Amino acid sequence: MSEISSNNQPIKFGGYYQPKEREVEDLTARVGPGTPCGEYLRRFWHPIMLRTQLDALPRAIRILSEDLVIYRDLSGDIGLLHKHCAHRGASLEFGIIADHGIRCCYHGWMYANDGTILETPGEPASSPHKDRYCQGAYPVIEYKDVIFAYLGPPELKPEFPILDAMVIPDDKMVPYLIHSPCNWQQVSENSMDPFHVPFLHTRVAGPQFSEVFEQLPIIEYHDTPYGFFYTNARRVGDYIWVRMHDHMVPNFSQNGAIFENVGKVRYFGRPGLTRWVVPTDDTNTMVIAWRHYNDRDDPQHQGDPHEVGVGKTDFFGQSGDRPYEERQRTPGDYEAWCSQGPITSHKREHLATTDRGVALLRRKLREEVQNLQKGVEPTRPTALNGSHIPTYGGDTILRIPANGGDDVKLVEEVSGKIAAAYIAFQDLPDTERRTAIANRLAPLNVGDTQAINPNQGKIFEFKPLA
Ligand code: FES
Ligand SMILES: [Fe+2]
């Protein structure tokens, strides 16, 4: 069967000839123990739940296709153990939390948070069992209301990565967690796909964020030590708006501000969200992120921290809880990535010019996974100058009116200069970096930088169609 006719043309009304099933991309889609990508993902710290989800009882969770139980013991420490008791497999979600550790309900074996068996109360005192075995356990870290875990080889455990965006001065961070019933790559690739923004979020079914996203951006990709950032540049009235998007492999990303209407000059605005895409298993995924709130990046306070938490966030289209008909009429990111199927087949796709970011990300991921298969450990983020890991997400807006020449070229040039400034000062802490970037970029402005953009994009409050 062929999709192409004998004269080398696609066959109209030729659904019959199109392949119906195509294999999924196994190398980077499968996340279970022992799979190539599962091994690779196990080299990194991942957020696994929010602090508020952990109450007085143990909780069964699934991460990277492993069934686990998480609990906070009576001393306040968190344990993350394999779900099935090392004795005869009863689930520790029915265990009794102790001062330090958890006791299995079935025969009372008692586990410390590192998996050590502390007691086997039905066994004779001379029983060797408790010194011979261990319950599977993983280290956890609680940071700003998010619980992170490392599921890899203990001898290769990296430092917990503190990104500069996790310590922005005068910034309120509110976490959220949203489940998507599809493979992790579909969710993750969305953020390396800048060209979906003018279509999905503006032109196709009306503006979901602000009108200024309607323009096709001018995109440039830049390598970073751990992935990429790219510049989305747009002309908005007298301003050039460059939105930076950051993507660290395997699964970290940052957007610019969520609510942006390009009203004033801004230097090195910081991200609207700091986000991980964490596989529950091959066909289920969690977005776990912090929304950032501060006066610099959301001066009109359009974000609403009260709308952010388990299963929800304060911007459009990130979860599946809207009525089906509404989701059909005004689909958002969630509909786009979930509707690709449980695990999409890359062989079914036809990548085009707009997919350069997705292609870059896929290539990088494949290389990293294949390197690990050959025994080359991935580079994990480490602090520059011992202080912080630089990130790039956020917005810079300069007042540079069109000058009658080639405006696309002008926007490209300015975008390149902004990216160069972000890189040049990346080893400085956040506030010093902002100052250095501002000092370098300020002379590029033309005219009154305090002027309010007369053509500024109107902010739309999203209303579903009737
Ligand atoms: S199954 Fe857990 S103690 Fe026996
Ligand atoms: Fe989107």
Side-chain angles (χ1 to χ4, degrees):
M1 266 199 291
S2 168
E3 305 162 66
I4 305 292
S5 69
S6 53
N7 63 354
N8 225 16
Q9 295 294 313
I11 299 172
K12 293 173 184 172
F13 288 119
Y16 177 84
Y17 291 111
Q18 301 257 343
K20 306 301 183 298
E21 297 292 333
R22 309 228 196 185
E23 76 244 43
V24 301
E25 169 64 47
D26 271 331
L27 185 72
T28 50
R30 308 283 179 192
V31 299
T35 61
C37 190
E39 278 302 301
Y40 169 64
L41 288 165
R42 281 170 173 76
R43 297 303 194 269
F44 297 85
W45 285 94
H46 300 285
I48 58 167
M49 68 191 298
L50 308 192
R51 182 186 57 76
T52 53
Q53 294 178 285
L54 195 55
D55 56 21
L57 292 172
R59 190 183 169 102
I61 59 171
R62 195 165 158 77
I63 305 291
L64 301 179
S65 297
E66 285 190 52
D67 287 318
L68 306 169
V69 165
I70 188 167
Y71 57 91
R72 188 186 295 281
D73 71 20
L74 301 180
S75 76
D77 292 337
I78 295 174
L80 179 64
L81 301 180
H82 279 166
K83 179 175 173 180
H84 297 289
C85 172
H87 176 220
R88 276 187 38 228
S91 171
L92 294 176
E93 76 198 283
F94 301 109
I96 305 303
I97 293 174
D99 284 346
H100 300 281
I102 192 168
R103 187 182 295 281
C104 177
C105 65
Y106 205 2
H107 312 92
W109 287 26
M110 168 83 175
Y111 298 107
N113 297 340
D114 64 3
T116 305
I117 304 174
L118 299 172
E119 296 173 18
T120 52
E123 299 297 306
S126 58
S127 165
H129 284 81
K130 73 183 172 51
D131 302 319
R132 194 174 283 167
Y133 311 117
C134 237
Q135 181 71 7
Y138 296 115
V140 295
I141 283 180
E142 207 171 352
Y143 187 87
K144 298 198 177 182
D145 297 334
V146 178
I147 299 167
F148 290 76
Y150 170 77
L151 274 63
E155 67 280 10
L156 296 176
K157 185 180 79 169
E159 288 292 302
F160 178 69
I162 306 279
L163 310 175
D164 60 0
M166 289 153 68
V167 290
I168 297 170
D170 307 319
D171 180 52
K172 178 180 162 86
M173 292 160 69
V174 182
Y176 69 87
L177 179 154
I178 297 176
H179 169 250
S180 288
C182 65
N183 186 253
W184 75 283
Q185 292 185 111
Q186 288 152 234
V187 184
S188 181
E189 288 174 353
N190 171 271
S191 56
M192 281 295 281
D193 175 6
F195 288 103
H196 84 272
V197 173
F199 297 101
L200 177 67
H201 298 317
T202 313
R203 297 185 189 188
V204 173
Q208 299 176 351
F209 301 109
S210 79
E211 223 175 28
V212 290
F213 286 111
E214 190 260 353
Q215 276 183 55
L216 278 186
I218 297 170
I219 305 286
E220 284 291 334
Y221 296 91
H222 299 263
D223 288 333
T224 67
Y226 312 110
F228 318 91
F229 75 87
Y230 60 84
T231 50
N232 296 263
R234 289 174 173 92
R235 149 83 50 214
V236 183
D238 287 342
Y239 294 78
I240 292 175
W241 168 36
V242 177
R243 183 178 180 82
M244 303 284 191
H245 196 108
D246 201 344
H247 200 112
M248 265 186 216
V249 287
N251 59 344
F252 171 82
S253 64
Q254 287 180 328
N255 295 30
I258 297 293
F259 301 99
E260 182 56 72
N261 61 348
V262 192
K264 280 184 83 167
V265 166
R266 187 185 313 159
Y267 304 104
F268 194 52
R270 296 307 341 251
L273 54 86
T274 287
R275 169 182 110 140
W276 285 261
V277 172
V278 182
T280 301
D281 53 31
D282 291 350
T283 55
N284 290 281
T285 299
M286 293 181 291
V287 168
I288 302 183
W290 283 290
R291 280 279 284 116
H292 296 275
Y293 298 95
N294 60 68
D295 292 339
R296 270 188 320 270
D297 301 316
D298 183 12
Q300 295 165 300
H301 297 154
Q302 296 172 93
D304 183 357
H306 300 106
E307 288 301 313
V308 175
V310 177
K312 62 180 187 175
T313 191
D314 62 345
F315 60 101
F316 183 82
Q318 303 301 299
S319 57
D321 52 2
R322 295 186 295 143
Y324 181 59
E325 187 179 329
E326 183 188 319
R327 292 168 50 218
Q328 285 189 292
R329 292 185 188 283
T330 55
D333 285 314
Y334 179 93
E335 284 70 39
W337 62 54
C338 290
S339 68
Q340 289 173 302
I343 306 182
T344 188
S345 164
H346 293 178
K347 294 217 165 90
R348 188 181 58 192
E349 300 171 342
H350 302 91
L351 294 195
T353 321
T354 53
D355 300 306
R356 180 151 169 245
V358 170
L360 279 172
L361 176 59
R362 288 181 182 176
R363 191 178 319 134
K364 174 90 175 165
L365 267 178
R366 275 200 302 273
E367 276 169 17
E368 294 271 311
V369 170
Q370 285 165 339
N371 280 343
L372 184 59
Q373 286 181 302
K374 289 182 220 143
V376 181
E377 288 292 326
T379 316
R380 276 84 60 88
T382 48
L384 275 182
N385 296 336
S387 68
H388 71 286
I389 298 161
T391 60
Y392 307 84
D395 302 85
T396 285
I397 301 165
L398 302 179
R399 186 177 193 278
I400 306 177
N403 58 15
D406 182 341
D407 200 51
V408 170
K409 190 153 171 268
L410 176 63
V411 173
E412 273 174 358
E413 278 172 11
V414 170
S415 175
K417 285 177 182 168
I418 294 172
Y422 275 43
I423 293 168
F425 302 116
Q426 65 187 4
D427 54 347
L428 297 176
D430 192 83
T431 308
E432 285 90 328
R433 190 178 178 198
R434 184 190 321 281
T435 306
I437 289 170
N439 287 340
R440 178 182 282 193
L441 297 179
L444 300 180
N445 287 304
V446 178
D448 178 8
T449 56
Q450 296 304 311
I452 300 296
N453 180 6
N455 299 321
Q456 89 188 59
K458 200 163 128 205
I459 297 293
F460 281 76
E461 189 186 342
F462 187 83
K463 293 211 174 39
L465 300 179

